[in-house]
Amino acid sequence: MITPKPLQRAQERMQRALAVARQTPAGDVPVGAVLYDATGRELATGVNRREQLRDPTAHAEIEAIRQAVRIHGDGWRLIGCELVVTLEPCAMCAGALQAARISSLVFGAFEPKTGACGSLVDVLRAPTAPFTPQVRGGVLEEDCVALLEKFFTTLREKWV
């Protein structure tokens, strides 16, 4: 078996995260997250459900982390796992992936207003960070941005 190169693997996984994002309930910002274990097995997926659940913590990343810890077998630790998400995580989600000891993060669209993995702030590389995962941003960025732009364009049209 030929092992895909890191960028190719990241792009393939981002395609899966985009497919998950398209399953976001109506009214929620379409963000998809997929968590993989160290062998590449998909552990869990998540989409934004803040509006649906009326829960400010129901971000795609949190949903995926909650599912994965039930499956992974090391309690709350997701060491060796990779989180792939279509939008740069916010501070809450960055803190959660750090607390869960997720080894690497791949994200698509940068988020200049709330991004906490390098755009606005960098929670993951703070001097006092207890754990620092590998981060790769901008993977299939145009596709991720297009999905978000379509959602917000449709939302604005409803308000006009």
Side-chain angles (χ1 to χ4, degrees), residues 97-148:
L97 77 92
Q98 194 171 53
R101 304 298 193 260
I102 293 171
S103 297
S104 64
L105 165 69
V106 174
F107 68 86
F110 288 87
E111 174 46 284
K113 293 180 181 178
T114 63
C117 299
S119 288
L120 180 64
V121 295
D122 198 344
V123 169
L124 301 177
R125 292 183 197 93
T128 59
F131 178 82
T132 305
Q134 294 179 349
V135 178
R136 172 180 245 156
V139 175
L140 299 184
E141 182 177 11
E142 295 85 13
D143 296 339
C144 295
V145 168
L147 183 63
L148 292 164

Short mmCIF file of all heavy atoms in Angstrom, two decimals, residues 97-148:
data_model
loop_
_atom_site.label_atom_id
_atom_site.label_comp_id
_atom_site.label_asym_id
_atom_site.label_seq_id
_atom_site.Cartn_x
_atom_site.Cartn_y
_atom_site.Cartn_z
N LEU A 97 -9.24 21.14 22.30
CA LEU A 97 -8.37 20.18 21.61
C LEU A 97 -7.03 20.08 22.31
O LEU A 97 -6.42 19.01 22.37
CB LEU A 97 -8.26 20.49 20.12
CG LEU A 97 -7.38 21.61 19.60
CD1 LEU A 97 -5.99 21.09 19.27
CD2 LEU A 97 -8.01 22.16 18.34
N GLN A 98 -6.60 21.17 22.90
CA GLN A 98 -5.36 21.15 23.68
C GLN A 98 -5.54 20.30 24.94
O GLN A 98 -4.70 19.47 25.27
CB GLN A 98 -4.99 22.57 24.04
CG GLN A 98 -3.59 22.76 24.54
CD GLN A 98 -3.27 24.23 24.64
OE1 GLN A 98 -4.01 24.98 25.26
NE2 GLN A 98 -2.17 24.63 24.03
N ALA A 99 -6.66 20.49 25.63
CA ALA A 99 -6.93 19.73 26.85
C ALA A 99 -7.07 18.24 26.56
O ALA A 99 -6.70 17.41 27.39
CB ALA A 99 -8.20 20.25 27.53
N ALA A 100 -7.61 17.90 25.39
CA ALA A 100 -7.78 16.50 25.00
C ALA A 100 -6.48 15.88 24.49
O ALA A 100 -6.44 14.70 24.17
CB ALA A 100 -8.88 16.38 23.95
N ARG A 101 -5.44 16.69 24.37
CA ARG A 101 -4.13 16.24 23.92
C ARG A 101 -4.15 15.72 22.48
O ARG A 101 -3.45 14.77 22.13
CB ARG A 101 -3.54 15.16 24.84
CG ARG A 101 -3.43 15.54 26.31
CD ARG A 101 -2.49 16.72 26.50
NE ARG A 101 -2.12 16.92 27.89
CZ ARG A 101 -2.68 17.83 28.70
NH1 ARG A 101 -3.64 18.61 28.25
NH2 ARG A 101 -2.26 17.98 29.94
N ILE A 102 -4.99 16.36 21.64
CA ILE A 102 -5.03 16.01 20.23
C ILE A 102 -3.69 16.41 19.61
O ILE A 102 -3.24 17.54 19.77
CB ILE A 102 -6.22 16.70 19.53
CG1 ILE A 102 -7.53 16.12 20.09
CG2 ILE A 102 -6.14 16.57 18.02
CD1 ILE A 102 -8.79 16.85 19.66
N SER A 103 -3.07 15.49 18.91
CA SER A 103 -1.70 15.70 18.44
C SER A 103 -1.56 16.65 17.27
O SER A 103 -0.54 17.32 17.14
CB SER A 103 -1.06 14.36 18.07
OG SER A 103 -0.97 13.55 19.23
N SER A 104 -2.58 16.68 16.39
CA SER A 104 -2.46 17.60 15.26
C SER A 104 -3.82 18.13 14.84
O SER A 104 -4.85 17.49 15.03
CB SER A 104 -1.76 16.94 14.07
OG SER A 104 -2.52 15.87 13.56
N LEU A 105 -3.77 19.34 14.30
CA LEU A 105 -4.95 20.05 13.83
C LEU A 105 -4.72 20.45 12.38
O LEU A 105 -3.67 21.00 12.04
CB LEU A 105 -5.18 21.32 14.67
CG LEU A 105 -6.16 22.35 14.10
CD1 LEU A 105 -7.59 21.81 14.12
CD2 LEU A 105 -6.07 23.66 14.89
N VAL A 106 -5.72 20.19 11.55
CA VAL A 106 -5.72 20.67 10.17
C VAL A 106 -7.01 21.46 10.01
O VAL A 106 -8.09 20.97 10.36
CB VAL A 106 -5.71 19.49 9.17
CG1 VAL A 106 -5.85 19.99 7.74
CG2 VAL A 106 -4.45 18.66 9.33
N PHE A 107 -6.90 22.71 9.54
CA PHE A 107 -8.11 23.48 9.30
C PHE A 107 -8.08 24.10 7.92
O PHE A 107 -7.02 24.25 7.31
CB PHE A 107 -8.38 24.51 10.40
CG PHE A 107 -7.41 25.65 10.49
CD1 PHE A 107 -7.59 26.80 9.72
CD2 PHE A 107 -6.34 25.61 11.36
CE1 PHE A 107 -6.71 27.87 9.81
CE2 PHE A 107 -5.45 26.67 11.47
CZ PHE A 107 -5.63 27.80 10.68
N GLY A 108 -9.27 24.46 7.44
CA GLY A 108 -9.41 25.01 6.10
C GLY A 108 -9.36 26.52 6.06
O GLY A 108 -8.34 27.13 5.76
N ALA A 109 -10.49 27.16 6.38
CA ALA A 109 -10.60 28.61 6.30
C ALA A 109 -10.03 29.27 7.55
O ALA A 109 -10.27 28.82 8.67
CB ALA A 109 -12.07 29.01 6.13
N PHE A 110 -9.28 30.34 7.35
CA PHE A 110 -8.81 31.15 8.46
C PHE A 110 -9.98 32.01 8.94
O PHE A 110 -10.84 32.40 8.15
CB PHE A 110 -7.64 32.04 8.04
CG PHE A 110 -6.38 31.27 7.81
CD1 PHE A 110 -6.11 30.69 6.57
CD2 PHE A 110 -5.46 31.10 8.83
CE1 PHE A 110 -4.95 29.95 6.36
CE2 PHE A 110 -4.29 30.38 8.62
CZ PHE A 110 -4.04 29.80 7.39
N GLU A 111 -10.02 32.31 10.24
CA GLU A 111 -11.12 33.09 10.83
C GLU A 111 -10.53 34.32 11.52
O GLU A 111 -10.12 34.27 12.68
CB GLU A 111 -11.90 32.21 11.81
CG GLU A 111 -12.97 32.89 12.63
CD GLU A 111 -13.90 33.82 11.86
OE1 GLU A 111 -13.47 34.94 11.53
OE2 GLU A 111 -15.03 33.44 11.61
N PRO A 112 -10.46 35.46 10.79
CA PRO A 112 -9.80 36.65 11.34
C PRO A 112 -10.52 37.28 12.53
O PRO A 112 -9.90 38.02 13.29
CB PRO A 112 -9.75 37.61 10.16
CG PRO A 112 -10.82 37.15 9.23
CD PRO A 112 -10.93 35.67 9.43
N LYS A 113 -11.80 36.98 12.72
CA LYS A 113 -12.54 37.59 13.84
C LYS A 113 -12.45 36.80 15.13
O LYS A 113 -12.42 37.39 16.21
CB LYS A 113 -14.02 37.75 13.46
CG LYS A 113 -14.24 38.75 12.34
CD LYS A 113 -15.70 38.88 12.02
CE LYS A 113 -15.89 39.87 10.87
NZ LYS A 113 -17.31 39.97 10.49
N THR A 114 -12.43 35.48 15.06
CA THR A 114 -12.43 34.66 16.27
C THR A 114 -11.40 33.54 16.24
O THR A 114 -11.34 32.74 17.17
CB THR A 114 -13.81 34.03 16.52
OG1 THR A 114 -14.13 33.16 15.43
CG2 THR A 114 -14.89 35.08 16.69
N GLY A 115 -10.59 33.46 15.21
CA GLY A 115 -9.63 32.37 15.08
C GLY A 115 -8.60 32.38 16.18
O GLY A 115 -7.97 33.40 16.45
N ALA A 116 -8.42 31.23 16.81
CA ALA A 116 -7.50 31.15 17.95
C ALA A 116 -6.34 30.20 17.69
O ALA A 116 -5.72 29.69 18.62
CB ALA A 116 -8.27 30.71 19.19
N CYS A 117 -6.04 29.97 16.41
CA CYS A 117 -4.92 29.10 16.05
C CYS A 117 -3.96 29.85 15.12
O CYS A 117 -3.35 29.26 14.23
CB CYS A 117 -5.44 27.82 15.41
SG CYS A 117 -6.49 26.88 16.51
N GLY A 118 -3.89 31.17 15.31
CA GLY A 118 -2.95 31.97 14.54
C GLY A 118 -3.52 33.22 13.92
O GLY A 118 -2.80 34.18 13.72
N SER A 119 -4.81 33.25 13.61
CA SER A 119 -5.37 34.44 12.94
C SER A 119 -5.52 35.62 13.88
O SER A 119 -4.92 36.66 13.66
CB SER A 119 -6.73 34.11 12.32
OG SER A 119 -6.57 33.29 11.20
N LEU A 120 -6.33 35.49 14.90
CA LEU A 120 -6.55 36.57 15.86
C LEU A 120 -5.60 36.41 17.04
O LEU A 120 -4.88 37.34 17.42
CB LEU A 120 -8.01 36.57 16.34
CG LEU A 120 -8.38 37.65 17.34
CD1 LEU A 120 -8.23 39.04 16.72
CD2 LEU A 120 -9.81 37.44 17.84
N VAL A 121 -5.61 35.23 17.62
CA VAL A 121 -4.69 34.87 18.71
C VAL A 121 -4.20 33.45 18.42
O VAL A 121 -4.69 32.79 17.51
CB VAL A 121 -5.37 34.91 20.10
CG1 VAL A 121 -5.78 36.33 20.47
CG2 VAL A 121 -6.56 33.98 20.17
N ASP A 122 -3.25 32.99 19.22
CA ASP A 122 -2.76 31.63 19.04
C ASP A 122 -2.73 30.93 20.39
O ASP A 122 -1.69 30.87 21.06
CB ASP A 122 -1.38 31.64 18.38
CG ASP A 122 -1.02 30.28 17.80
OD1 ASP A 122 -1.68 29.28 18.16
OD2 ASP A 122 -0.09 30.22 16.99
N VAL A 123 -3.87 30.42 20.76
CA VAL A 123 -4.03 29.71 22.04
C VAL A 123 -3.07 28.52 22.12
O VAL A 123 -2.50 28.23 23.16
CB VAL A 123 -5.49 29.25 22.23
CG1 VAL A 123 -5.64 28.29 23.39
CG2 VAL A 123 -6.41 30.46 22.39
N LEU A 124 -2.91 27.84 21.00
CA LEU A 124 -2.14 26.60 21.00
C LEU A 124 -0.64 26.80 21.20
O LEU A 124 0.06 25.89 21.61
CB LEU A 124 -2.38 25.83 19.69
CG LEU A 124 -3.84 25.47 19.43
CD1 LEU A 124 -3.98 24.78 18.08
CD2 LEU A 124 -4.40 24.60 20.54
N ARG A 125 -0.16 28.00 20.91
CA ARG A 125 1.27 28.26 21.05
C ARG A 125 1.56 29.31 22.13
O ARG A 125 2.62 29.92 22.12
CB ARG A 125 1.86 28.68 19.71
CG ARG A 125 1.87 27.54 18.70
CD ARG A 125 2.54 27.96 17.40
NE ARG A 125 2.21 27.04 16.34
CZ ARG A 125 1.19 27.17 15.49
NH1 ARG A 125 0.40 28.21 15.55
NH2 ARG A 125 0.97 26.27 14.55
N ALA A 126 0.64 29.49 23.03
CA ALA A 126 0.87 30.42 24.14
C ALA A 126 2.05 29.92 24.98
O ALA A 126 2.26 28.71 25.10
CB ALA A 126 -0.39 30.52 25.01
N PRO A 127 2.82 30.84 25.55
CA PRO A 127 4.01 30.43 26.31
C PRO A 127 3.72 29.46 27.45
O PRO A 127 4.56 28.63 27.78
CB PRO A 127 4.55 31.76 26.87
CG PRO A 127 3.99 32.81 25.98
CD PRO A 127 2.68 32.29 25.47
N THR A 128 2.54 29.53 28.01
CA THR A 128 2.22 28.65 29.13
C THR A 128 1.36 27.45 28.70
O THR A 128 0.85 26.72 29.55
CB THR A 128 1.46 29.43 30.22
OG1 THR A 128 0.27 29.98 29.63
CG2 THR A 128 2.32 30.53 30.81
N ALA A 129 1.23 27.22 27.41
CA ALA A 129 0.41 26.12 26.91
C ALA A 129 0.93 24.78 27.45
O ALA A 129 2.12 24.49 27.34
CB ALA A 129 0.39 26.11 25.40
N PRO A 130 0.04 23.98 28.02
CA PRO A 130 0.48 22.69 28.58
C PRO A 130 0.78 21.64 27.52
O PRO A 130 1.44 20.65 27.79
CB PRO A 130 -0.72 22.26 29.42
CG PRO A 130 -1.89 22.92 28.77
CD PRO A 130 -1.37 24.22 28.24
N PHE A 131 0.29 21.87 26.30
CA PHE A 131 0.44 20.90 25.23
C PHE A 131 0.33 21.65 23.91
O PHE A 131 -0.54 22.49 23.75
CB PHE A 131 -0.67 19.84 25.34
CG PHE A 131 -0.62 18.81 24.25
CD1 PHE A 131 0.23 17.72 24.34
CD2 PHE A 131 -1.44 18.92 23.14
CE1 PHE A 131 0.27 16.76 23.34
CE2 PHE A 131 -1.41 17.97 22.14
CZ PHE A 131 -0.55 16.89 22.23
N THR A 132 1.21 21.39 22.97
CA THR A 132 1.21 22.11 21.70
C THR A 132 1.10 21.13 20.54
O THR A 132 2.06 20.44 20.21
CB THR A 132 2.49 22.95 21.55
OG1 THR A 132 2.61 23.81 22.68
CG2 THR A 132 2.45 23.79 20.29
N PRO A 133 -0.08 21.06 19.91
CA PRO A 133 -0.24 20.18 18.75
C PRO A 133 0.38 20.78 17.49
O PRO A 133 0.63 21.98 17.43
CB PRO A 133 -1.76 20.08 18.60
CG PRO A 133 -2.27 21.36 19.15
CD PRO A 133 -1.31 21.75 20.26
N GLN A 134 0.60 19.95 16.50
CA GLN A 134 1.01 20.44 15.19
C GLN A 134 -0.21 21.08 14.53
O GLN A 134 -1.33 20.60 14.72
CB GLN A 134 1.51 19.30 14.31
CG GLN A 134 2.77 18.65 14.81
CD GLN A 134 3.20 17.50 13.91
OE1 GLN A 134 2.48 17.05 13.03
NE2 GLN A 134 4.41 17.01 14.15
N VAL A 135 0.00 22.16 13.78
CA VAL A 135 -1.12 22.86 13.15
C VAL A 135 -0.80 23.10 11.67
O VAL A 135 0.31 23.54 11.34
CB VAL A 135 -1.39 24.22 13.83
CG1 VAL A 135 -2.51 24.98 13.13
CG2 VAL A 135 -1.70 24.02 15.31
N ARG A 136 -1.78 22.83 10.83
CA ARG A 136 -1.68 23.15 9.41
C ARG A 136 -2.98 23.84 9.02
O ARG A 136 -4.05 23.26 9.13
CB ARG A 136 -1.48 21.89 8.58
CG ARG A 136 -1.55 22.17 7.08
CD ARG A 136 -1.36 20.91 6.26
NE ARG A 136 -0.12 21.10 5.52
CZ ARG A 136 0.63 20.12 5.06
NH1 ARG A 136 0.31 18.88 5.28
NH2 ARG A 136 1.72 20.39 4.38
N GLY A 137 -2.88 25.09 8.59
CA GLY A 137 -4.06 25.86 8.19
C GLY A 137 -4.09 26.10 6.70
O GLY A 137 -3.08 25.97 6.01
N GLY A 138 -5.27 26.45 6.18
CA GLY A 138 -5.42 26.80 4.78
C GLY A 138 -5.58 25.62 3.84
O GLY A 138 -5.48 25.79 2.63
N VAL A 139 -5.87 24.44 4.35
CA VAL A 139 -6.04 23.26 3.50
C VAL A 139 -7.41 23.34 2.82
O VAL A 139 -8.44 23.44 3.51
CB VAL A 139 -5.89 21.96 4.32
CG1 VAL A 139 -6.19 20.74 3.45
CG2 VAL A 139 -4.49 21.88 4.92
N LEU A 140 -7.41 23.33 1.50
CA LEU A 140 -8.64 23.50 0.70
C LEU A 140 -9.41 24.74 1.15
O LEU A 140 -10.64 24.75 1.23
CB LEU A 140 -9.52 22.25 0.75
CG LEU A 140 -8.92 20.96 0.20
CD1 LEU A 140 -9.94 19.84 0.23
CD2 LEU A 140 -8.37 21.14 -1.21
N GLU A 141 -8.65 25.78 1.44
CA GLU A 141 -9.22 27.01 1.97
C GLU A 141 -10.34 27.57 1.10
O GLU A 141 -11.39 27.98 1.62
CB GLU A 141 -8.12 28.06 2.14
CG GLU A 141 -8.61 29.35 2.74
CD GLU A 141 -7.49 30.35 2.98
OE1 GLU A 141 -6.35 30.13 2.49
OE2 GLU A 141 -7.75 31.36 3.65
N GLU A 142 -10.15 27.59 -0.21
CA GLU A 142 -11.16 28.17 -1.11
C GLU A 142 -12.49 27.42 -0.99
O GLU A 142 -13.56 28.04 -0.97
CB GLU A 142 -10.68 28.17 -2.56
CG GLU A 142 -9.47 29.06 -2.81
CD GLU A 142 -8.15 28.36 -2.50
OE1 GLU A 142 -8.12 27.12 -2.33
OE2 GLU A 142 -7.12 29.07 -2.40
N ASP A 143 -12.43 26.11 -0.92
CA ASP A 143 -13.66 25.31 -0.81
C ASP A 143 -14.36 25.58 0.52
O ASP A 143 -15.59 25.68 0.58
CB ASP A 143 -13.35 23.82 -0.93
CG ASP A 143 -12.80 23.44 -2.30
OD1 ASP A 143 -13.02 24.19 -3.27
OD2 ASP A 143 -12.16 22.38 -2.39
N CYS A 144 -13.58 25.69 1.58
CA CYS A 144 -14.14 25.95 2.91
C CYS A 144 -14.76 27.34 2.97
O CYS A 144 -15.86 27.51 3.51
CB CYS A 144 -13.06 25.78 3.97
SG CYS A 144 -12.43 24.08 4.11
N VAL A 145 -14.08 28.32 2.41
CA VAL A 145 -14.60 29.69 2.38
C VAL A 145 -15.87 29.75 1.55
O VAL A 145 -16.85 30.41 1.94
CB VAL A 145 -13.53 30.67 1.84
CG1 VAL A 145 -14.13 32.03 1.52
CG2 VAL A 145 -12.38 30.81 2.85
N ALA A 146 -15.89 29.06 0.42
CA ALA A 146 -17.07 29.08 -0.46
C ALA A 146 -18.30 28.56 0.26
O ALA A 146 -19.40 29.11 0.11
CB ALA A 146 -16.80 28.27 -1.72
N LEU A 147 -18.15 27.52 1.05
CA LEU A 147 -19.28 26.96 1.80
C LEU A 147 -19.81 27.99 2.80
O LEU A 147 -21.03 28.19 2.92
CB LEU A 147 -18.85 25.69 2.52
CG LEU A 147 -19.92 24.95 3.31
CD1 LEU A 147 -21.04 24.45 2.38
CD2 LEU A 147 -19.30 23.77 4.05
N LEU A 148 -18.92 28.67 3.48
CA LEU A 148 -19.32 29.69 4.45
C LEU A 148 -19.95 30.90 3.75
O LEU A 148 -20.98 31.42 4.21
CB LEU A 148 -18.11 30.14 5.28
CG LEU A 148 -17.56 29.08 6.23
CD1 LEU A 148 -16.16 29.46 6.70
CD2 LEU A 148 -18.50 28.86 7.40
#
